Amino acid sequence: MNLRRDVFQAIADPTRRSILMLVAAQSMTAGAIASNFDTARPTVSKHLQILTECELLRSEQNGREIIYHLNPNKMKEIADFIEPFRQMWDDRFNKLESVMKAYQKGN
């Protein structure tokens, strides 16, 4: 049975979020990614495997090296899911700001 990892569980981990930020700036090999962390290379490889399984990263074989690239389409899916929540909070903060301004004028 092929179980898919949940993308939100993947991005819940701070190391994986850091890896996404690194690869978003520039495609990198596993070794280059691992050099940014104080953990064992197999640990970073496991994080890369999870991110690849969730399709947040895609890997490309280049000779003996594997280069990791950010998958912007999958990142957009996450952003699209989060957007209604962001709008809800923006609306709430705007209402709070209006109340605070009205309160300050009353004093």
Side-chain angles (χ1 to χ4, degrees):
M1 187 159 115
N2 186 11
L3 296 176
R4 301 277 320 218
R5 292 191 185 266
D6 180 68
V7 70
F8 291 101
Q9 287 178 335
I11 63 174
D13 184 276
T15 301
R16 289 193 284 270
R17 288 193 307 267
S18 295
I19 290 170
L20 288 172
M21 295 296 290
L22 284 169
V23 178
Q26 173 183 339
S27 296
M28 303 173 88
T29 63
I33 293 167
S35 70
N36 288 277
F37 299 95
D38 291 330
T39 57
R41 193 163 170 171
T43 303
V44 173
S45 292
K46 182 66 175 172
H47 287 303
L48 291 170
Q49 177 187 358
I50 291 168
L51 291 169
T52 303
E53 287 175 6
C54 291
E55 299 177 354
L56 291 167
L57 294 180
R58 59 182 178 79
S59 59
E60 172 190 358
Q61 188 80 34
N62 187 5
R64 290 179 36 188
E65 295 184 318
I66 298 174
I67 301 173
Y68 291 90
H69 307 275
L70 187 70
N71 180 356
N73 294 330
K74 195 63 161 184
M75 296 301 289
K76 183 172 178 348
E77 285 180 32
I78 295 169
D80 290 346
F81 175 80
I82 293 172
E83 182 61 21
F85 299 101
R86 189 193 63 76
Q87 288 176 354
M88 177 186 66
W89 282 106
D90 280 350
D91 291 344
R92 289 181 181 185
F93 283 122
N94 288 338
K95 288 176 186 174
L96 178 60
E97 184 178 35
S98 297
V99 169
M100 296 293 288
K101 285 181 179 178
Y103 178 77
Q104 286 176 344
K105 287 181 183 178
N107 285 333

